Amino acid sequence: MKTIYILLTRSGTLLSNLVYTFTGANYTHASIAFDEDLSCLYSSTRKNGYTMFPAGPSREYLNRGVFKLRGDAPCALYALKVSEEAYCRAKRRADHMMAHGRLYRFNTLGLILCGLHIRWNRRRHYFCSQFVSEVLEKSGSMELPKHSTLMHPNDYTRLEGLECLYQGQLNELPQRQKMDLGQEETVVSVYLGLMLGFAKDRVRRFF
């Protein structure tokens, strides 16, 4: 048997706060990982780790981006025992979507309709919990109680077969505490750095 990990968070970003306002859910984001150290997580989210867009299937890291800046975010870590075959299929599918990220987009409209309990499947468009749900279901790792386009991050707290390993603040998650967080960043310094990088990229393209 192998283990797949599901991390649920509520980061406090603009999108997270909007979802929380309308749903009151403890968790507004879902990620999936394939190693106990959570060295790399997969989801459909912001691609550069900080700004809301561009967004789509992306790798996430606990010591970078929003996860680094929002250490006080509430989170929960769940473990799912699966067969080795299901594990390999799930990881292969997640890696494939990362490698071909340019083909996929964030499912903004689907996220809104999910909040309204309206099923709407758009090809190659995913929001976070839809992404996690499809990876799990299409790999044969588990059967979902509803269609992937209707799955909320909070739904995973109620699914049978998932073992809760941790619940609390992100900065107290054992796997994150073992990581090197590097130099402390502030929201202002991060966005100034992103703006500078964007400006340099534009200058290079111009010349």
Side-chain angles (χ1 to χ4, degrees):
M1 297 291 286
K2 302 278 283 186
T3 304
I4 293 176
Y5 299 89
I6 299 168
L7 181 67
L8 308 177
T9 53
R10 192 177 81 239
S11 64
T13 61
L14 176 59
L15 182 58
S16 174
N17 286 338
L18 285 173
V19 174
Y20 178 68
T21 298
F22 285 102
T23 66
N26 291 331
Y27 307 108
T28 57
H29 182 64
S31 311
I32 189 170
F34 299 95
D35 65 282
E36 186 178 4
D37 293 336
L38 307 184
S39 58
C40 177
L41 299 112
Y42 301 76
S43 189
S44 185
T45 183
R46 52 193 68 206
K47 286 183 176 291
N48 64 21
Y50 295 99
T51 57
M52 186 179 298
F53 296 105
S58 307
R59 291 182 175 89
E60 299 178 296
Y61 303 91
L62 294 178
N63 57 353
R64 303 183 200 172
V66 169
F67 284 154
K68 179 178 179 179
L69 291 175
R70 312 274 182 167
D72 60 347
C75 73
L77 179 64
Y78 288 84
L80 172 67
K81 297 292 185 182
V82 299
S83 67
E84 187 164 352
E85 293 79 6
Y87 176 93
C88 291
R89 286 194 297 266
K91 190 173 189 307
R92 187 164 55 245
R93 180 171 179 80
D95 283 332
H96 172 82
M97 294 178 74
M98 298 302 117
H100 299 84
R102 67 187 183 280
L103 301 176
Y104 298 91
R105 298 290 183 271
F106 187 81
N107 194 3
T108 306
L109 181 56
L111 178 63
I112 296 172
L113 294 176
C114 177
L116 299 173
H117 307 288
I118 299 174
R119 173 178 167 175
W120 187 68
N121 195 26
R122 187 179 181 188
R123 187 170 180 262
R124 292 181 176 173
H125 284 68
Y126 297 91
F127 52 86
C128 64
S129 50
Q130 178 189 5
F131 172 88
V132 171
S133 299
E134 286 222 0
V135 168
L136 292 175
E137 189 168 53
K138 292 194 174 182
S139 65
S141 298
M142 71 179 307
E143 291 185 10
L144 301 175
K146 50 188 174 181
H147 194 268
S148 63
T149 59
L150 298 176
M151 287 291 291
H152 296 243
N154 234 46
D155 288 332
Y156 283 96
T157 65
R158 298 184 288 269
L159 293 186
E160 294 184 6
L162 293 181
E163 178 189 1
C164 184
L165 302 179
Y166 173 82
Q167 192 171 14
Q169 287 191 343
L170 186 61
N171 55 17
E172 295 178 0
L173 180 68
Q175 287 89 338
R176 188 176 186 271
Q177 290 187 328
K178 295 177 182 178
M179 293 181 175
D180 179 13
L181 299 181
Q183 185 178 356
E184 185 176 353
E185 295 177 308
T186 66
V187 175
V188 173
S189 68
V190 165
Y191 284 101
L192 283 175
L194 288 172
M195 290 173 63
L196 181 61
F198 179 76
K200 288 181 177 179
D201 181 64
R202 288 294 178 180
V203 170
R204 283 196 298 268
R205 290 185 182 184
F206 181 78
F207 290 103

